[in-house]
Amino acid sequence: MDMKRRSFLTGGALLTVSGIVPVASGMLASEQAAHDKYKATQVPPPDKLLDSEPLLQVPAPDSVGVSFAVNALSVGYAQVADNPEMKNARQYVCEGMPLAEIHDRVLRVRMDGLKPATKYWYRIGAAAVTYPIGYWMKPSPIEWSAVHSFTTPGEAAASHFMVINDTHAQWKPFAMATEKMRELQAPVAVWNGDASNTSRTLEDIVKIFLKPGSGTGYGADTAILFNNGNHDFRGQANIHLDQVMMTRLPSERSPRDWALHRNFAIRQGDIALIGLDTGEDKPDFHPAAGGATRFEPYRAAQVPWLEDQFKRPEIAQAPFVVAFVHIPLFDPNPNANPGTLLEDYAAWQKQAAELWGPILAKNRVQLVIAAHQHRYRFDPATATRPWAQLVGGGPELGFQGNTPDDGKFPTVIEGKVVDGKLRITVHDVFKKRVAGEFSFPSRLG
Ligand SMILES: [Fe+2]
Ligand SMILES: [Fe+2]
């Protein structure tokens, strides 16, 4: 055995796996040449392989996803540790089994096996990929990001969340909203739909979520619970939105609910957060859908899923339950568009309201937080609709078209348990004032 081979074997996996030298020593000269060439190949990474800040997402008590942009065909990594120095960090590679995904623009890594309600430090990394010998893949040295942190959800986590919605790639209001998010420092933010306008290419989606025109790093230390809005279904690229915005783990839902990739129900301290998807704001028979949508069965499929969430002890026993939908489930105007007509578009989603509303009522859900109307509104609970509804503002800054309108401002809705009550604060991030405050007693009382 010459020295070259010895150095390969002692450094390689063959010896550690089998420990049987005769197998390796039977290597053909041509094989040895391939090993030598592989080992000798230097793969310099591009100048700047990482092309965005990390975006934390799909938080669960035992896992958190992260996606980020890269400049070349790469494999992605994340390291997670219980200390900011990253001592004894656990390393993860891109999601996918058996093949970890490689991609030339967006990488997604799932950090799993985590403990609930626990603070972690993490960094992301990427290695450019080349193929020096046939199909033998060789990654470059890993380029690592700065260290960031997150705290996993769970019953012992902080009872604190924030909500943004209808950002529509408008970077001035997005700057106002993300600045408020930074100030509030809740461990989780619900992005309640209409991040897109119409996304035709993957690059459109990369710009919206990973390389926004303001608020850089908004999701590097706060996990995002993304809920679809009607605009997030529009354009060819949004069919593959999960290339950038990861879906819930299959283990979080039963096989019956396989299609419900984004619905979430997690405990954030004393608050259960439930995400429901209202879909498009037009019926499936509308020509805009081209006969290629199934929103009506999709809303119906969320019924058994929603019912089952309240059978989970941690959801059933939550002192506070808040449901998130993009299109409201109620409108105070009896003539408001219910989303079932050919004309115009939904002001509220009648099918979802009829299917889900009674389940929310039966389970004493205190509040539905909606979006879509681009105008902040609060609908108090009534005897027949025991859940209240809060509608977030939109991206317009004091104008409706060219007409001044004081009711048009973006909001960050904050929920926090204070003195045993759920306190909801609606921050008008345009005029930097509190637009509304609401308080809800425990549903268990
Ligand atoms: Fe919108
Ligand atoms: Fe909308």
Side-chain angles (χ1 to χ4, degrees):
M1 187 185 286
D2 64 25
M3 282 313 289
K4 256 186 184 168
R5 180 180 296 184
R6 185 183 304 277
S7 72
F8 170 78
L9 288 173
T10 49
L14 284 175
L15 190 63
T16 54
V17 171
S18 68
I20 302 167
V21 175
V23 173
S25 66
M27 194 183 288
L28 299 172
S30 59
E31 286 178 317
Q32 185 60 55
H35 281 285
D36 292 346
K37 186 178 171 196
Y38 181 90
K39 190 154 185 283
T41 302
Q42 299 296 317
V43 187
D47 267 357
K48 213 185 163 312
L49 189 51
L50 294 173
D51 193 36
S52 78
E53 292 290 314
L55 176 54
L56 293 168
Q57 51 193 292
V58 285
D62 58 355
S63 71
V64 176
V66 64
S67 69
F68 49 97
V70 287
N71 278 321
L73 186 68
S74 316
V75 62
Y77 303 90
Q79 282 186 338
V80 177
D82 61 4
N83 62 87
E85 293 79 31
M86 303 301 291
K87 272 183 257 151
N88 303 315
R90 193 189 309 176
Q91 187 158 315
Y92 300 83
V93 71
C94 271
E95 194 157 53
M97 185 164 78
L99 298 177
E101 191 178 47
I102 59 171
H103 198 269
D104 61 6
R105 194 59 181 127
V106 185
L107 299 176
R108 301 168 298 181
V109 184
R110 184 93 55 168
M111 302 172 275
D112 59 8
L114 306 176
K115 287 182 268 189
T118 302
K119 181 166 186 176
Y120 289 98
W121 285 263
Y122 80 102
R123 58 182 185 166
I124 52 163
V129 160
T130 54
Y131 295 85
I133 314 278
Y135 66 89
W136 290 23
M137 189 239 265
K138 184 156 187 176
S140 70
I142 300 173
E143 178 185 317
W144 291 106
S145 72
V147 173
H148 295 278
S149 66
F150 61 82
T151 302
T152 47
E155 287 159 74
S159 307
H160 194 193
F161 67 86
M162 46 199 181
V163 190
I164 59 170
N165 58 275
D166 293 278
T167 46
H168 287 286
Q170 299 287 310
W171 304 125
K172 210 169 153 187
F174 194 71
M176 298 169 186
T178 49
E179 189 190 328
K180 177 56 81 176
M181 282 166 63
R182 253 187 197 110
E183 180 194 315
L184 298 178
Q185 297 228 334
V188 67
V190 179
W191 195 341
N192 209 11
D194 278 6
S196 279
N197 292 308
T198 300
S199 291
R200 293 189 173 82
T201 65
L202 175 63
E203 197 57 26
D204 292 341
I205 300 179
V206 167
K207 287 211 171 85
I208 287 165
F209 292 100
L210 301 178
K211 293 173 70 68
S214 65
T216 303
Y218 67 95
D221 298 87
T222 299
I224 304 293
L225 280 165
F226 183 68
N227 204 10
N228 292 311
N230 49 304
H231 279 267
D232 304 308
F233 292 106
R234 295 181 182 175
Q236 290 170 45
N238 272 327
I239 296 167
H240 307 289
L241 179 59
D242 59 3
Q243 183 67 50
V244 176
M245 296 308 283
M246 298 164 69
T247 53
R248 310 298 305 180
L249 280 172
S251 55
E252 290 183 67
R253 56 187 187 273
S254 77
R256 179 199 64 202
D257 303 325
W258 67 272
L260 309 181
H261 294 159
R262 292 206 186 278
N263 288 74
F264 57 83
I266 60 165
R267 274 287 291 270
Q268 183 64 50
D270 287 340
I271 314 166
L273 309 175
I274 297 185
L276 290 156
D277 190 342
T278 45
E280 258 292 0
D281 64 0
K282 296 177 185 69
D284 284 339
F285 65 77
H286 195 285
T293 66
R294 297 189 187 95
F295 287 104
E296 285 143 24
Y298 179 55
R299 292 181 200 107
Q302 293 174 68
V303 168
W305 175 84
L306 180 59
E307 280 173 335
D308 281 359
Q309 299 319 300
F310 292 101
K311 296 175 189 157
R312 293 167 50 195
E314 71 270 34
I315 304 297
Q317 292 159 17
F320 308 96
V321 182
V322 180
F324 298 86
V325 292
H326 177 73
I327 302 176
L329 299 185
F330 167 78
D331 194 288
N333 175 358
N335 298 318
N337 191 316
T340 52
L341 313 173
L342 196 57
E343 299 76 30
D344 222 13
Y345 57 90
W348 66 296
Q349 223 303 318
K350 183 169 186 275
Q351 184 202 1
E354 288 176 353
L355 289 175
W356 309 337
I359 303 171
L360 302 177
K362 187 178 79 188
N363 291 288
R364 290 161 292 135
V365 171
Q366 291 116 317
L367 178 65
V368 169
I369 294 184
H372 184 64
Q373 291 295 76
H374 295 203
R375 189 182 290 276
Y376 155 61
R377 185 181 91 218
F378 182 69
D379 304 316
T382 64
T384 53
R385 178 180 43 76
W387 37 269
Q389 178 178 264
L390 180 57
V391 183
E396 296 85 7
L397 303 175
F399 280 87
Q400 172 73 60
N402 292 321
T403 312
D405 185 339
D406 265 356
K408 298 298 256 183
F409 53 84
T411 54
V412 174
I413 298 169
E414 181 187 17
K416 192 173 194 175
V417 176
V418 181
D419 298 332
K421 289 187 171 179
L422 174 60
R423 189 187 68 193
I424 299 286
T425 308
V426 182
H427 300 277
D428 166 357
V429 294
F430 177 46
K431 291 196 170 161
K432 297 190 188 299
R433 64 182 182 114
V434 171
E437 269 192 296
F438 309 92
S439 179
F440 299 86
S442 167
R443 61 195 266 276
L444 305 177

